[in-house]
Amino acid sequence: QQQVKQSPQSLIVQKGGISIINCAYENTAFDYFPWYQQFPGKGPALLIAIRPDVSEKKEGRFTISFNKSAKQFSLHIMDSQPGDSATYFCAALWGNQFYFGTGTSLTVIP
Amino acid sequence: KAGVTQTPRYLIKTRGQQVTLSCSPISGHRSVSWYQQTPGQGLQFLFEYFSETQRNKGNFPGRFSGRQFSNSRSEMNVSTLELGDSALYLCASTRGGTLPYEQYFGPGTRLTVT
């Protein structure tokens, strides 16, 4: 059973556009929600994270929007660049274990 | 500060053999988690160690085992390798303890079973 559901599976965006990746969860005990970026041949890199008591967190071009009542959170990449082309994973923490979404392959077209 | 390191980076084994992978966490990090990553299954949690104790275990057969040493370094072992064990094995470390629970990944070990 997938504890964190991520969509879309793949995304193609024009350079300068906004990329939006969504995640949904059921377990209200999750208390930390990070996003990871992974390039081919590399391990995932922590991008940005949020706690459930905050509705939005912004770091540079990356923003997490968190909707506690809907049990959803999303990653917004503003002014998307070709260098942002990678696989993105959302995750949620419960106790000492992280639960990951299945990943979104983002391609930014020049 | 050095990141999470994993050795070896690449490994080719034959079905039925066993393999040991090594992970050195970021200095000061006491928690180490292991994940299996495959194209079809994404990131699957194997187990998590904190201060030499396994605190969590994922849904993998007993052929997958791990341990953590007093210096927080960790190893995972896979016995009686099967073709389906071919994957990228990722190690991640955190400080452990209280939030924020920032988890950092190593580059992974690419295991190919033939």
Side-chain angles (χ1 to χ4, degrees):
Chain A
Q1 181 185 358
Q2 192 69 32
Q3 295 248 16
V4 179
K5 296 182 180 178
Q6 183 172 346
S7 63
Q9 187 174 353
S10 62
L11 182 62
I12 299 174
V13 172
Q14 293 277 357
K15 178 184 175 181
I18 302 174
S19 303
I20 301 175
I21 304 170
N22 301 298
C23 284
Y25 64 96
E26 286 298 324
N27 186 351
T28 56
F30 287 140
D31 57 4
Y32 179 69
F33 301 86
W35 283 90
Y36 289 86
Q37 178 189 57
Q38 185 177 27
F39 293 105
K42 305 286 187 182
L46 179 63
L47 197 58
I48 187 172
I50 198 167
R51 297 284 308 275
D53 53 349
V54 176
S55 62
E56 185 176 281
K57 183 174 182 180
K58 184 176 181 179
E59 289 185 3
R61 296 184 295 109
F62 301 91
T63 299
I64 299 179
S65 295
F66 189 86
N67 187 328
K68 191 173 182 178
S69 60
K71 290 184 281 188
Q72 295 176 348
F73 59 109
S74 60
L75 176 69
H76 296 235
I77 306 174
M78 313 300 287
D79 187 26
S80 298
Q81 299 296 313
D84 297 331
S85 297
T87 300
Y88 293 81
F89 293 93
C90 63
L93 176 67
W94 179 26
N96 304 307
Q97 185 174 336
F98 284 89
Y99 295 82
F100 282 83
T102 50
T104 296
S105 177
L106 171 66
T107 302
V108 181
I109 299 171
Chain B
K1 193 187 240 186
V4 178
T5 58
Q6 292 186 245
T7 56
R9 292 293 313 280
Y10 303 91
L11 208 48
I12 300 175
K13 289 286 189 178
T14 303
R15 196 169 40 175
Q17 288 185 314
Q18 75 165 21
V19 66
T20 299
L21 311 181
S22 181
C23 170
S24 292
I26 291 172
S27 177
H29 284 197
R30 296 167 62 192
S31 170
V32 173
S33 297
W34 288 89
Y35 298 87
Q36 181 193 67
Q37 186 176 30
T38 57
Q41 297 296 319
L43 279 157
Q44 300 292 312
F45 173 76
L46 281 155
F47 26 66
E48 186 255 355
Y49 287 87
F50 180 81
S51 292
E52 302 179 67
T53 300
Q54 185 183 90
R55 294 195 297 189
N56 294 289
K57 189 176 190 304
N59 189 26
F60 277 81
R63 300 185 296 107
F64 292 82
S65 63
R67 60 178 176 169
Q68 186 181 35
F69 302 95
S70 59
N71 62 358
S72 295
R73 192 177 68 85
S74 177
E75 289 181 347
M76 69 162 281
N77 183 277
V78 188
S79 62
T80 319
L81 284 165
E82 300 177 0
L83 295 177
D85 296 334
S86 293
L88 180 67
Y89 289 88
L90 292 160
C91 165
S93 75
T94 71
R95 278 198 308 271
T98 58
L99 289 167
Y101 223 65
E102 295 177 347
Q103 180 177 234
Y104 297 91
F105 282 86
T109 294
R110 172 73 63 186
L111 173 64
T112 302
V113 182
T114 62

